[in-house]
Amino acid sequence: MAVAKAAYRTIKQPRSHVSDDRGMSSEQYPDNSDSSGGSGHSVDSAGSDGPTAPGASGGDAHGTVRYTHGHGAAVLSAHSRRRAEDSAAYLLPHLHAGMDLLDVGCGPATITADLAERVAPGRVVGLDAAAGALEAARATLGERGLAGRVELTDGDVMALPFDDDAFDVVHAHQVLQHLGDPVGALAEMRRVTRPGGIVAVRDAVYSAKAWFPQPRGMELWRSVYMATARANGGEPDAGSRLLTWARQAGFTEVTASASTWCYATPADRAWQSETWAQRSLTSFGPRAVELGLASSADLATMAEAWRQWGASEDAWFAVVHGEVIARA
């Protein structure tokens, strides 16, 4: 358990993204990669031999960031379940027909498709750095009859391939937590937003996640995940920092709020427990072992804890998110 204790100590260390000057790698995910679904920026796959964030083993001076979740089937399954109603409800009252909208980190485009229907006939663009994500997005849009309505493009959130003042709305869901320079990303989103337009972002707060019952190994999972995410250059508590990041990015009119996902039905419990058991073994877990933050035995303990939680008829899990509407 020594490595697990080291992980717990790591997540207690404060860190600031504000003063970091961190560029993003321009390397794209390979064409045969699975969808990231949450990274609208160029990062290195968590299973690759690419560079890591400063402070992590092998990190370089430019602060390239690794996408902690990786791009396996369990991650794609999670991202494909998301819809605007459960993941962007705070934004929906601000949308109307004819708006031009950019979805940064569109992933499989399930949220993008919902937003496109709400702003039709406005222009809608989905942007992602991962080829696999864009492939999944094309399939989603085709199934929903939106292939001709939504543009898809690869790109980097730190250097968006659009002119100034190009969109009425720029949206990013679960993106900033994976960035080394979230303030810079928000400033870039602001650049492509028209005066009076909206930048809308939502991210989880891992330290605020709560669950019952509490099998041995669940707190280990949180500690190891958060330590790994920070070693990769991200911030797993990004949701609680969105207000300050938006203000530092130059926004003066910012409305902050919070919302949750709750997993308590038999179907949701079964899905949530198995996807995180698989992620512990095949997604962030191997990276944690590589960094010395966990052992292979720890990964097995975390996976078993998730399955024990999911097997309980009383299982309940809440994911807390921070979100902001920032006016350009």
Side-chain angles (χ1 to χ4, degrees):
M1 294 293 291
V3 288
K5 290 179 179 178
Y8 182 77
R9 287 195 298 272
T10 300
I11 69 168
K12 292 296 185 182
Q13 301 301 313
R15 60 173 290 148
S16 171
H17 295 280
V18 176
S19 61
D20 294 343
D21 182 15
R22 296 180 174 178
M24 309 305 295
S25 165
S26 61
E27 179 181 346
Q28 298 297 310
Y29 299 121
D31 288 341
N32 61 354
S33 69
D34 289 324
S35 168
S36 70
S39 59
H41 53 282
S42 298
V43 295
D44 293 306
S45 170
S48 74
D49 296 322
T52 60
S57 174
D60 65 18
H62 297 291
T64 51
V65 176
R66 296 175 67 144
Y67 180 53
T68 298
H69 291 296
H71 315 291
V75 176
L76 177 58
S77 172
H79 297 160
S80 296
R81 286 170 55 100
R82 297 170 182 169
R83 297 294 185 270
E85 289 76 8
D86 60 44
S87 299
Y90 71 106
L91 170 61
L92 299 184
H94 301 275
L95 302 181
H96 59 76
M99 281 181 153
D100 294 337
L101 182 146
L102 169 65
D103 192 13
V104 176
C106 65
T110 51
I111 298 175
T112 318
D114 289 343
L115 299 178
E117 290 175 346
R118 293 192 177 244
V119 301
R123 179 192 183 197
V124 176
V125 180
L127 178 143
D128 207 290
L134 294 174
E135 182 178 353
R138 291 186 190 96
T140 298
L141 296 173
E143 290 169 2
R144 295 185 57 171
L146 294 169
R149 276 269 302 114
V150 178
E151 305 168 36
L152 294 174
T153 185
D154 63 350
D156 185 342
V157 68
M158 306 307 296
L160 294 170
F162 306 106
D163 294 336
D164 294 356
D165 306 337
F167 298 95
D168 300 300
V169 180
V170 177
H171 168 261
H173 185 259
Q174 310 286 18
V175 171
L176 296 187
Q177 65 184 280
H178 301 294
L179 298 179
D181 182 14
V183 174
L186 283 164
E188 179 64 357
M189 294 182 207
R190 182 171 180 254
R191 178 187 66 79
V192 302
T193 305
R194 293 171 182 143
I198 291 171
V199 172
V201 292
R202 183 178 191 252
D203 274 276
V205 184
Y206 272 77
S207 66
K209 293 188 178 187
W211 57 84
F212 180 87
Q214 299 177 330
R216 186 181 69 86
M218 290 290 282
E219 281 293 351
L220 174 64
W221 158 77
R222 172 158 46 195
S223 298
V224 170
Y225 176 82
M226 292 184 70
T228 304
R230 285 174 174 152
N232 282 343
E235 175 48 68
D237 275 351
S240 62
R241 292 152 168 78
L242 298 179
L243 176 58
T244 187
W245 288 346
R247 288 167 55 83
Q248 291 173 52
F251 292 96
T252 58
E253 185 180 343
V254 184
T255 302
S257 57
S259 59
T260 63
W261 289 331
C262 183
Y263 301 96
T265 67
D268 283 349
R269 289 196 300 264
W271 176 85
Q272 173 78 343
S273 61
E274 188 56 30
T275 190
W276 273 109
Q278 288 299 321
R279 290 201 212 188
S280 297
L281 296 171
T282 65
S283 174
F284 75 92
R287 174 63 174 155
V289 173
E290 178 187 342
L291 291 167
L293 298 171
S295 66
S296 296
D298 291 329
L299 305 192
T301 296
M302 292 186 288
E304 177 59 23
W306 268 108
R307 288 171 174 146
Q308 288 179 12
W309 172 85
S312 171
E313 293 182 352
D314 299 320
W316 176 94
F317 195 100
V319 181
V320 176
H321 299 87
E323 52 209 19
V324 298
I325 295 287
R327 289 281 178 183

